[in-house]
Coordinates of all heavy atoms in Angstrom, one line a residue:
M1 N 0.8 -1.1 0.0 CA 0.0 0.0 0.0 C 0.9 1.2 0.0 O 1.7 1.3 0.9 CB -0.9 0.0 1.2 CG -1.9 1.1 1.3 SD -3.0 1.1 2.7 CE -4.0 -0.2 2.3
A2 N 0.6 2.2 -0.9 CA 1.5 3.3 -0.9 C 1.3 4.3 0.2 O 0.1 4.3 0.8 CB 1.1 4.1 -2.2
Q3 N 2.3 5.0 0.7 CA 2.2 5.9 1.8 C 1.1 6.9 1.7 O 0.5 7.1 2.7 CB 3.6 6.4 2.0 CG 3.8 7.1 3.3 CD 5.2 7.6 3.5 OE1 6.0 7.7 2.6 NE2 5.5 7.9 4.8
H4 N 0.9 7.5 0.5 CA 0.0 8.6 0.4 C -1.4 7.9 0.6 O -2.3 8.7 1.0 CB 0.1 9.3 -0.9 CG -0.3 8.4 -2.1 ND1 0.5 7.6 -2.7 CD2 -1.4 8.4 -2.9 CE1 0.0 7.0 -3.7 NE2 -1.2 7.5 -3.8
E5 N -1.6 6.8 0.2 CA -2.9 6.1 0.4 C -3.2 5.9 1.8 O -4.4 6.0 2.4 CB -2.9 4.7 -0.3 CG -3.1 4.8 -1.8 CD -3.1 3.5 -2.5 OE1 -3.8 2.5 -1.9 OE2 -2.5 3.3 -3.4
V6 N -2.2 5.5 2.6 CA -2.3 5.4 4.0 C -2.7 6.7 4.8 O -3.6 6.8 5.6 CB -1.0 4.7 4.7 CG1 -1.1 4.7 6.2 CG2 -0.7 3.4 4.2
H7 N -2.0 7.8 4.4 CA -2.3 9.1 4.9 C -3.7 9.5 4.6 O -4.4 10.1 5.4 CB -1.3 10.1 4.3 CG 0.2 9.7 4.8 ND1 1.1 10.6 4.2 CD2 0.6 9.0 5.7 CE1 2.3 10.1 4.9 NE2 2.0 9.2 5.7
R8 N -4.2 9.2 3.3 CA -5.5 9.6 2.9 C -6.5 8.8 3.7 O -7.5 9.3 4.3 CB -5.7 9.4 1.5 CG -7.0 9.8 1.0 CD -7.2 9.5 -0.6 NE -7.3 8.1 -0.9 CZ -8.4 7.4 -0.7 NH1 -9.5 7.9 -0.3 NH2 -8.4 6.1 -1.0
T9 N -6.3 7.5 3.9 CA -7.1 6.7 4.8 C -7.2 7.1 6.1 O -8.4 7.2 6.7 CB -6.8 5.2 4.6 OG1 -6.8 4.8 3.2 CG2 -7.7 4.3 5.4
I10 N -6.1 7.4 6.7 CA -6.1 7.9 8.1 C -6.9 9.3 8.2 O -7.6 9.4 9.2 CB -4.6 8.1 8.6 CG1 -4.0 6.8 8.9 CG2 -4.5 8.9 9.9 CD1 -2.5 6.8 9.3
A11 N -6.7 10.2 7.2 CA -7.5 11.4 7.3 C -9.0 11.0 7.2 O -9.8 11.8 7.8 CB -7.1 12.2 6.1
L12 N -9.4 10.0 6.5 CA -10.9 9.7 6.3 C -11.4 9.2 7.7 O -12.4 9.5 8.2 CB -11.1 8.7 5.3 CG -10.9 9.3 3.8 CD1 -10.9 8.0 2.8 CD2 -12.1 10.2 3.5
I13 N -10.6 8.3 8.2 CA -11.0 7.7 9.5 C -11.0 8.8 10.6 O -12.0 8.8 11.5 CB -10.0 6.5 10.0 CG1 -10.1 5.4 9.0 CG2 -10.3 6.1 11.3 CD1 -9.1 4.4 9.1
D14 N -10.0 9.7 10.6 CA -10.1 10.7 11.6 C -11.3 11.6 11.5 O -11.9 12.0 12.5 CB -8.8 11.6 11.3 CG -8.7 12.9 12.1 OD1 -8.9 12.9 13.3 OD2 -8.6 14.0 11.5
C15 N -11.8 11.9 10.3 CA -12.9 12.7 10.1 C -14.2 12.0 10.6 O -15.0 12.6 11.3 CB -13.0 13.0 8.6 SG -14.5 14.1 8.2
E16 N -14.2 10.7 10.4 CA -15.4 9.9 10.9 C -15.3 9.8 12.4 O -16.4 10.0 13.0 CB -15.3 8.5 10.4 CG -15.5 8.4 8.9 CD -17.0 8.5 8.5 OE1 -17.8 8.1 9.3 OE2 -17.2 9.0 7.4
I17 N -14.2 9.6 13.0 CA -14.1 9.6 14.5 C -14.4 11.0 15.1 O -15.1 11.0 16.0 CB -12.6 9.2 14.9 CG1 -12.4 7.7 14.5 CG2 -12.4 9.4 16.4 CD1 -11.0 7.2 14.8
R18 N -13.9 12.1 14.5 CA -14.3 13.4 15.0 C -15.7 13.7 14.9 O -16.3 14.4 15.8 CB -13.5 14.5 14.4 CG -12.0 14.5 14.9 CD -11.2 15.6 14.4 NE -10.9 15.5 13.0 CZ -11.1 16.4 12.1 NH1 -11.6 17.6 12.4 NH2 -10.8 16.2 10.8
G19 N -16.4 13.0 14.0 CA -17.8 13.3 13.9 C -18.7 12.4 14.8 O -19.8 12.4 14.9
Q20 N -18.0 11.5 15.6 CA -18.6 10.6 16.4 C -19.7 9.7 15.8 O -20.7 9.5 16.5 CB -18.9 11.2 17.8 CG -17.8 11.7 18.6 CD -18.2 12.3 19.8 OE1 -19.4 12.5 20.2 NE2 -17.2 12.5 20.7
A21 N -19.6 9.3 14.6 CA -20.6 8.6 14.0 C -20.0 7.4 13.1 O -20.4 7.2 12.0 CB -21.4 9.5 13.1
T22 N -19.0 6.8 13.6 CA -18.4 5.7 12.8 C -19.2 4.5 12.7 O -19.1 3.8 11.7 CB -17.0 5.3 13.4 OG1 -17.3 4.7 14.8 CG2 -16.0 6.4 13.6
G23 N -20.1 4.3 13.7 CA -20.9 3.1 13.8 C -19.9 1.9 14.2 O -18.8 2.2 14.7
S24 N -20.4 0.7 14.1 CA -19.5 -0.4 14.4 C -18.3 -0.6 13.6 O -18.3 0.1 12.4 CB -20.4 -1.7 14.3 OG -20.6 -2.0 13.1
P25 N -17.3 -1.3 14.0 CA -16.1 -1.5 13.1 C -16.5 -2.1 11.8 O -15.9 -1.6 10.8 CB -15.3 -2.5 14.0 CG -15.6 -2.3 15.3 CD -17.0 -2.0 15.3
I26 N -17.5 -2.9 11.7 CA -18.0 -3.5 10.4 C -18.6 -2.5 9.6 O -18.3 -2.4 8.3 CB -19.0 -4.7 10.7 CG1 -18.2 -5.9 11.3 CG2 -19.6 -5.2 9.3 CD1 -19.1 -7.0 11.8
E27 N -19.4 -1.7 10.1 CA -20.1 -0.6 9.4 C -19.1 0.4 8.8 O -19.1 0.8 7.6 CB -21.1 0.2 10.3 CG -22.3 -0.6 10.7 CD -23.2 0.0 11.7 OE1 -22.6 0.8 12.5 OE2 -24.3 -0.3 11.7
L28 N -18.1 0.8 9.6 CA -17.0 1.7 9.2 C -16.2 1.2 8.1 O -15.9 1.8 7.1 CB -16.2 2.3 10.4 CG -15.0 3.1 10.0 CD1 -15.6 4.4 9.3 CD2 -14.3 3.6 11.3
A29 N -15.8 -0.1 8.4 CA -14.9 -0.7 7.3 C -15.7 -0.8 6.0 O -15.2 -0.6 4.8 CB -14.5 -2.2 7.8
N30 N -17.0 -1.2 6.0 CA -17.8 -1.3 4.8 C -17.8 0.1 4.1 O -17.8 0.2 2.9 CB -19.2 -1.8 5.1 CG -19.2 -3.3 5.4 OD1 -18.4 -4.0 4.9 ND2 -20.3 -3.7 6.0
R31 N -18.1 1.2 4.9 CA -18.2 2.5 4.3 C -17.0 2.9 3.7 O -16.9 3.6 2.6 CB -18.6 3.5 5.4 CG -19.7 4.4 5.0 CD -20.1 5.4 6.1 NE -19.5 5.6 7.2 CZ -19.8 5.0 8.4 NH1 -20.8 4.1 8.5 NH2 -19.3 5.4 9.6
L32 N -15.8 2.6 4.2 CA -14.6 3.0 3.6 C -14.0 1.9 2.6 O -12.9 2.0 2.1 CB -13.4 3.0 4.8 CG -13.7 4.0 5.8 CD1 -12.7 4.0 7.0 CD2 -13.7 5.4 5.2
R33 N -14.8 0.8 2.4 CA -14.5 -0.2 1.4 C -13.2 -0.9 1.7 O -12.3 -1.0 0.9 CB -14.5 0.4 0.0 CG -15.9 0.8 -0.5 CD -15.8 1.2 -2.0 NE -17.1 1.4 -2.5 CZ -17.9 2.4 -2.4 NH1 -17.6 3.4 -1.6 NH2 -19.2 2.5 -2.9
M34 N -13.1 -1.4 3.0 CA -11.9 -2.2 3.4 C -12.4 -3.3 4.4 O -13.5 -3.2 4.8 CB -10.9 -1.3 4.0 CG -11.4 -0.6 5.3 SD -10.1 0.3 6.2 CE -9.7 1.6 5.0
S35 N -11.5 -4.3 4.6 CA -11.8 -5.2 5.5 C -11.7 -4.7 7.0 O -11.1 -3.7 7.2 CB -10.9 -6.3 5.4 OG -9.6 -6.0 5.8
V36 N -12.4 -5.4 8.0 CA -12.2 -5.0 9.4 C -10.7 -5.0 9.8 O -10.3 -4.2 10.5 CB -13.1 -5.8 10.3 CG1 -13.0 -5.5 11.7 CG2 -14.6 -5.6 9.9
R37 N -10.1 -6.1 9.3 CA -8.7 -6.2 9.7 C -7.9 -5.0 9.2 O -7.0 -4.5 9.9 CB -8.1 -7.6 9.0 CG -6.7 -7.8 9.4 CD -6.4 -9.1 8.8 NE -4.9 -9.3 9.1 CZ -4.3 -10.5 9.0 NH1 -5.0 -11.6 8.6 NH2 -3.0 -10.7 9.2
M38 N -8.1 -4.6 8.0 CA -7.3 -3.4 7.4 C -7.8 -2.1 8.2 O -7.0 -1.3 8.5 CB -7.8 -3.2 5.9 CG -6.9 -2.1 5.3 SD -5.1 -2.3 5.4 CE -4.8 -3.7 4.3
L39 N -9.1 -2.1 8.7 CA -9.4 -0.9 9.5 C -8.6 -0.9 10.8 O -8.0 0.1 11.2 CB -10.9 -1.0 9.8 CG -11.4 0.1 10.8 CD1 -11.3 1.5 10.3 CD2 -13.0 -0.3 11.2
Y40 N -8.6 -2.0 11.4 CA -7.8 -2.0 12.7 C -6.2 -1.9 12.4 O -5.6 -1.2 13.4 CB -8.0 -3.4 13.4 CG -9.3 -3.3 14.2 CD1 -10.4 -4.0 13.8 CD2 -9.3 -2.6 15.4 CE1 -11.6 -3.9 14.6 CE2 -10.5 -2.5 16.1 CZ -11.6 -3.2 15.7 OH -12.7 -3.2 16.5
F41 N -5.7 -2.2 11.2 CA -4.4 -1.9 10.9 C -4.2 -0.4 10.9 O -3.2 0.2 11.5 CB -4.1 -2.5 9.5 CG -2.7 -1.9 9.0 CD1 -1.5 -2.4 9.3 CD2 -2.8 -1.0 8.0 CE1 -0.3 -2.0 8.9 CE2 -1.6 -0.4 7.4 CZ -0.5 -0.9 7.9
H42 N -5.1 0.4 10.3 CA -5.0 1.8 10.3 C -5.2 2.5 11.6 O -4.5 3.4 12.1 CB -6.0 2.4 9.3 CG -5.6 2.2 7.9 ND1 -6.0 1.1 7.1 CD2 -4.9 3.0 7.1 CE1 -5.5 1.2 5.9 NE2 -4.8 2.4 5.9
I43 N -6.2 1.9 12.5 CA -6.3 2.5 13.8 C -5.1 2.2 14.6 O -4.8 3.0 15.4 CB -7.6 1.8 14.4 CG1 -8.8 2.4 13.7 CG2 -7.6 2.1 16.0 CD1 -10.1 1.8 14.2
E44 N -4.4 1.1 14.5 CA -3.1 0.8 15.2 C -2.1 1.8 14.8 O -1.4 2.4 15.6 CB -2.7 -0.6 14.9 CG -1.4 -1.0 15.4 CD -1.2 -0.9 17.0 OE1 -2.3 -1.1 17.7 OE2 -0.2 -0.7 17.6
M45 N -2.1 2.1 13.4 CA -1.0 3.1 13.0 C -1.4 4.5 13.6 O -0.4 5.2 14.0 CB -1.1 3.3 11.4 CG -0.5 2.1 10.8 SD -0.3 2.3 9.1 CE 0.9 3.5 9.0
M46 N -2.6 4.8 13.7 CA -3.2 6.1 14.2 C -2.6 6.1 15.8 O -2.1 7.2 16.3 CB -4.6 6.3 14.1 CG -5.0 6.5 12.6 SD -6.7 6.4 12.4 CE -7.3 8.0 13.1
S47 N -2.8 5.0 16.5 CA -2.4 5.0 17.8 C -0.9 5.1 17.9 O -0.4 5.8 18.9 CB -2.7 3.6 18.4 OG -4.2 3.5 18.5
R48 N -0.1 4.5 17.1 CA 1.3 4.6 17.1 C 1.8 6.1 16.8 O 2.8 6.5 17.3 CB 2.0 3.6 16.1 CG 1.9 2.3 16.6 CD 2.5 1.3 15.6 NE 2.3 0.0 16.0 CZ 3.2 -1.0 16.1 NH1 4.5 -0.7 15.8 NH2 3.0 -2.1 16.5
L49 N 0.9 6.9 16.1 CA 1.3 8.2 15.8 C 0.8 9.2 16.9 O 1.0 10.4 16.8 CB 0.6 8.7 14.5 CG 1.2 8.0 13.2 CD1 0.2 8.3 12.0 CD2 2.5 8.6 13.0
G50 N 0.2 8.6 18.0 CA -0.1 9.5 19.2 C -1.5 9.5 19.5 O -1.9 10.1 20.6
A51 N -2.5 9.0 18.8 CA -3.9 9.2 19.1 C -4.4 8.0 19.9 O -4.2 6.8 19.4 CB -4.7 9.3 17.9
A52 N -4.9 8.1 21.1 CA -5.4 7.1 21.9 C -6.9 6.9 21.5 O -7.7 7.9 21.6 CB -5.3 7.4 23.3
I53 N -7.2 5.8 20.9 CA -8.5 5.5 20.3 C -9.1 4.5 21.0 O -8.5 3.4 21.3 CB -8.4 5.3 18.8 CG1 -7.8 6.4 18.0 CG2 -9.8 4.9 18.1 CD1 -7.3 6.1 16.6
F54 N -10.5 4.5 21.2 CA -11.2 3.4 21.8 C -12.6 3.4 21.2 O -13.1 4.3 20.6 CB -11.3 3.5 23.4 CG -12.1 4.7 23.9 CD1 -13.4 4.5 24.2 CD2 -11.6 6.0 23.9 CE1 -14.3 5.5 24.6 CE2 -12.4 7.0 24.3 CZ -13.7 6.8 24.7
F55 N -13.3 2.2 21.3 CA -14.6 2.1 20.8 C -15.6 2.2 22.0 O -15.5 1.4 22.9 CB -14.8 0.7 20.1 CG -16.2 0.6 19.5 CD1 -16.4 1.2 18.2 CD2 -17.2 0.0 20.1 CE1 -17.6 1.2 17.7 CE2 -18.4 -0.2 19.4 CZ -18.7 0.4 18.3
S56 N -16.6 3.1 21.9 CA -17.6 3.3 22.9 C -18.8 2.6 22.4 O -19.5 2.9 21.4 CB -17.9 4.7 23.0 OG -19.0 5.0 23.7
K57 N -19.2 1.5 23.2 CA -20.4 0.8 22.9 C -21.6 1.7 23.2 O -22.7 1.6 22.6 CB -20.6 -0.5 23.7 CG -19.5 -1.5 23.3 CD -19.8 -2.7 24.2 CE -18.7 -3.8 23.8 NZ -18.8 -5.0 24.6
E58 N -21.5 2.7 24.1 CA -22.6 3.6 24.5 C -23.0 4.3 23.3 O -24.3 4.6 23.1 CB -22.1 4.5 25.6 CG -23.1 5.4 26.3 CD -22.5 6.1 27.5 OE1 -22.0 5.5 28.4 OE2 -22.6 7.4 27.4
I59 N -22.2 5.0 22.5 CA -22.6 5.7 21.3 C -22.3 5.0 20.1 O -22.5 5.6 19.0 CB -21.9 7.1 21.4 CG1 -20.3 7.0 21.2 CG2 -22.2 7.9 22.6 CD1 -19.7 8.4 20.9
N60 N -21.8 3.8 20.1 CA -21.6 3.0 18.9 C -20.6 3.7 17.9 O -21.0 3.9 16.8 CB -22.8 2.5 18.2 CG -22.6 1.5 17.3 OD1 -21.9 0.5 17.4 ND2 -23.3 1.5 16.1
S61 N -19.5 4.1 18.5 CA -18.5 4.9 17.7 C -17.1 4.8 18.3 O -17.0 4.8 19.5 CB -18.9 6.3 17.5 OG -18.1 7.0 16.7
F62 N -16.1 4.9 17.3 CA -14.7 5.1 17.9 C -14.6 6.5 18.4 O -15.3 7.4 17.9 CB -13.8 4.8 16.8 CG -13.6 3.4 16.4 CD1 -14.2 2.9 15.3 CD2 -12.7 2.5 17.2 CE1 -13.9 1.5 15.0 CE2 -12.5 1.2 16.8 CZ -13.2 0.7 15.7
Q63 N -13.7 6.7 19.4 CA -13.6 8.0 19.9 C -12.1 8.1 20.3 O -11.4 7.2 20.5 CB -14.4 8.2 21.3 CG -15.8 8.2 21.1 CD -16.5 8.5 22.4 OE1 -16.4 7.7 23.4 NE2 -17.1 9.7 22.5
Y64 N -11.7 9.5 20.4 CA -10.3 9.8 20.8 C -10.4 10.0 22.3 O -11.4 10.6 22.8 CB -9.8 11.0 20.2 CG -9.6 10.8 18.7 CD1 -10.1 11.8 17.8 CD2 -8.8 9.9 18.2 CE1 -9.8 11.7 16.4 CE2 -8.5 9.7 16.8 CZ -9.0 10.7 16.0 OH -8.7 10.6 14.7
E65 N -9.4 9.6 23.1 CA -9.3 10.0 24.5 C -9.1 11.4 24.7 O -9.5 12.0 25.7 CB -8.3 9.0 25.2 CG -8.8 7.7 25.4 CD -7.7 6.8 26.1 OE1 -6.8 7.4 26.8 OE2 -7.9 5.6 26.1
E66 N -8.3 12.0 23.8 CA -8.1 13.5 23.9 C -8.6 14.1 22.7 O -8.7 13.5 21.6 CB -6.6 13.7 23.9 CG -5.8 13.1 25.1 CD -4.4 13.5 25.0 OE1 -3.7 12.8 24.1 OE2 -4.0 14.5 25.6
E67 N -9.1 15.3 22.8 CA -9.5 16.1 21.6 C -8.4 16.5 20.8 O -7.5 17.0 21.3 CB -10.4 17.3 21.9 CG -11.7 16.9 22.5 CD -12.6 18.3 22.7 OE1 -12.6 19.1 21.7 OE2 -13.3 18.4 23.6
G68 N -8.4 16.1 19.4 CA -7.3 16.4 18.6 C -7.7 15.9 17.1 O -8.8 15.6 16.9
Y69 N -6.8 16.1 16.3 CA -7.0 15.7 14.8 C -5.7 15.3 14.2 O -4.7 15.6 14.7 CB -7.7 16.8 14.1 CG -6.8 18.1 14.0 CD1 -6.0 18.3 12.9 CD2 -6.7 19.0 15.1 CE1 -5.2 19.4 12.8 CE2 -5.9 20.1 15.0 CZ -5.2 20.3 13.8 OH -4.4 21.4 13.7
F70 N -5.8 14.6 13.0 CA -4.6 14.4 12.3 C -4.4 15.4 11.2 O -5.3 15.7 10.5 CB -4.7 12.9 11.6 CG -4.3 11.8 12.5 CD1 -5.2 11.3 13.3 CD2 -3.0 11.5 12.6 CE1 -4.9 10.2 14.2 CE2 -2.5 10.4 13.5 CZ -3.5 9.8 14.2
K71 N -3.2 15.9 11.2 CA -2.9 16.9 10.2 C -2.2 16.1 9.0 O -1.3 15.5 9.1 CB -1.9 18.0 10.6 CG -1.5 19.0 9.6 CD -0.7 20.1 10.2 CE -0.2 21.1 9.3 NZ -1.0 22.2 9.2
D72 N -2.9 16.3 7.8 CA -2.4 15.5 6.6 C -2.3 14.1 6.7 O -1.6 13.4 6.0 CB -1.1 16.2 6.2 CG -1.1 17.7 5.9 OD1 -2.2 18.2 5.4 OD2 0.0 18.3 6.2
G73 N -3.1 13.5 7.7 CA -3.1 12.0 7.8 C -1.7 11.6 8.4 O -1.4 10.4 8.3
V74 N -0.9 12.5 8.9 CA 0.4 12.1 9.4 C 0.7 12.4 10.9 O 1.1 11.6 11.7 CB 1.5 12.7 8.5 CG1 2.9 12.2 8.9 CG2 1.3 12.4 7.1
R75 N 0.4 13.7 11.3 CA 0.8 14.2 12.6 C -0.4 14.3 13.5 O -1.5 14.9 13.0 CB 1.4 15.5 12.5 CG 2.8 15.4 12.3 CD 3.6 16.8 12.4 NE 2.8 17.9 12.9 CZ 2.7 19.0 12.4 NH1 3.5 19.4 11.4 NH2 2.0 20.0 12.8
W76 N -0.4 13.7 14.7 CA -1.5 13.8 15.6 C -1.4 15.3 16.4 O -0.3 15.4 16.9 CB -1.5 12.7 16.5 CG -2.5 12.8 17.8 CD1 -2.1 13.0 19.0 CD2 -4.0 12.8 17.7 NE1 -3.3 13.0 19.7 CE2 -4.5 12.9 19.0 CE3 -4.8 12.8 16.7 CZ2 -5.8 13.0 19.3 CZ3 -6.1 12.8 16.9 CH2 -6.7 12.9 18.2
I77 N -2.3 16.0 16.3 CA -2.3 17.3 17.0 C -3.4 17.3 18.1 O -4.6 17.1 17.8 CB -2.6 18.5 16.0 CG1 -1.8 18.4 14.8 CG2 -2.6 19.9 16.7 CD1 -0.4 18.8 15.0
V78 N -3.0 17.6 19.3 CA -3.9 17.7 20.5 C -4.3 19.1 20.5 O -3.6 20.1 20.6 CB -3.3 17.2 21.8 CG1 -4.2 17.3 23.0 CG2 -2.8 15.8 21.6
F79 N -5.7 19.4 20.8 CA -6.2 20.8 20.8 C -5.7 21.5 21.9 O -5.3 22.7 21.8 CB -7.7 20.8 20.9 CG -8.4 20.4 19.6 CD1 -9.5 19.6 19.6 CD2 -8.0 20.9 18.4 CE1 -10.1 19.3 18.4 CE2 -8.5 20.7 17.2 CZ -9.7 19.9 17.2
D80 N -5.4 20.9 23.1 CA -5.0 21.6 24.3 C -3.6 22.1 24.1 O -3.1 23.2 24.7 CB -4.9 20.6 25.5 CG -6.2 20.3 26.0 OD1 -7.3 20.9 25.5 OD2 -6.3 19.4 26.9
K81 N -2.7 21.5 23.2 CA -1.3 21.8 23.0 C -1.2 22.9 21.8 O -0.1 23.4 21.7 CB -0.5 20.6 22.7 CG -0.5 19.7 23.9 CD 0.3 18.5 23.7 CE 0.4 17.6 24.9 NZ 1.1 16.4 24.5
V82 N -2.3 23.2 21.2 CA -2.3 24.2 20.1 C -2.3 25.5 20.7 O -3.2 25.9 21.5 CB -3.5 23.9 19.1 CG1 -3.4 25.0 18.0 CG2 -3.3 22.6 18.5
R83 N -1.3 26.3 20.5 CA -1.3 27.7 20.9 C -1.6 28.7 19.8 O -1.2 28.5 18.7 CB 0.1 28.0 21.4 CG 0.6 27.1 22.4 CD 1.3 27.7 23.6 NE 2.0 26.9 24.5 CZ 1.4 26.3 25.6 NH1 0.1 26.6 25.8 NH2 2.0 25.5 26.4
I84 N -2.5 29.6 20.2 CA -2.9 30.7 19.2 C -1.9 31.9 19.5 O -1.7 32.5 20.5 CB -4.3 31.1 19.5 CG1 -5.2 29.9 19.3 CG2 -4.6 32.3 18.6 CD1 -6.7 30.2 19.6
A85 N -1.2 32.4 18.3 CA -0.2 33.5 18.4 C -1.1 34.7 18.6 O -2.1 35.0 17.9 CB 0.5 33.6 17.1
K86 N -0.7 35.6 19.5 CA -1.3 36.9 19.7 C -0.5 38.1 19.0 O 0.6 38.1 18.8 CB -1.3 37.2 21.2 CG -2.3 36.2 21.9 CD -2.3 36.6 23.3 CE -3.2 35.6 24.1 NZ -3.2 35.9 25.5

């Protein structure tokens, strides 16, 4: 799998997680046209890049433990650590 495809897929998964509407792993994998195993491969990569991800049965969606986002599908940015220049 090409690196740019991995980054694009991480960006798509990130968008879904931030919207808190991923649905079950099977539903998300089907929406992204990949296997559940490949979905978990990408989630593991996202975790290794710094995002703590878990699945909430309560809202039936993957969630981040900290509020943040992936920049360009590569760098995990935590909202608390973002400083606004004055």
Side-chain angles (χ1 to χ4, degrees):
M1 181 179 288
Q3 192 173 19
H4 69 279
E5 289 179 38
V6 172
H7 295 172
R8 185 181 68 82
T9 303
I10 287 175
L12 289 171
I13 294 170
D14 173 53
C15 185
E16 292 285 331
I17 292 174
R18 285 187 289 129
Q20 294 186 348
T22 65
S24 71
I26 293 170
E27 292 169 334
L28 180 58
N30 286 338
R31 227 176 12 262
L32 296 173
R33 292 184 166 83
M34 65 175 60
S35 68
V36 174
R37 183 176 177 167
M38 187 58 72
L39 172 66
Y40 277 108
F41 167 80
H42 284 90
I43 289 174
E44 174 65 24
M45 289 189 67
M46 294 167 76
S47 295
R48 289 175 184 234
L49 291 169
I53 302 170
F54 67 97
F55 184 79
S56 169
K57 290 182 181 179
E58 189 175 299
I59 65 169
N60 193 38
S61 182
F62 285 100
Q63 290 185 295
Y64 292 129
E65 286 185 12
E66 298 179 281
E67 286 192 45
Y69 64 97
F70 275 92
K71 182 172 177 100
D72 302 323
V74 184
R75 273 192 6 226
W76 172 246
I77 308 291
V78 178
F79 285 138
D80 292 348
K81 295 180 182 177
V82 175
R83 303 223 189 270
I84 299 173
K86 292 182 182 179

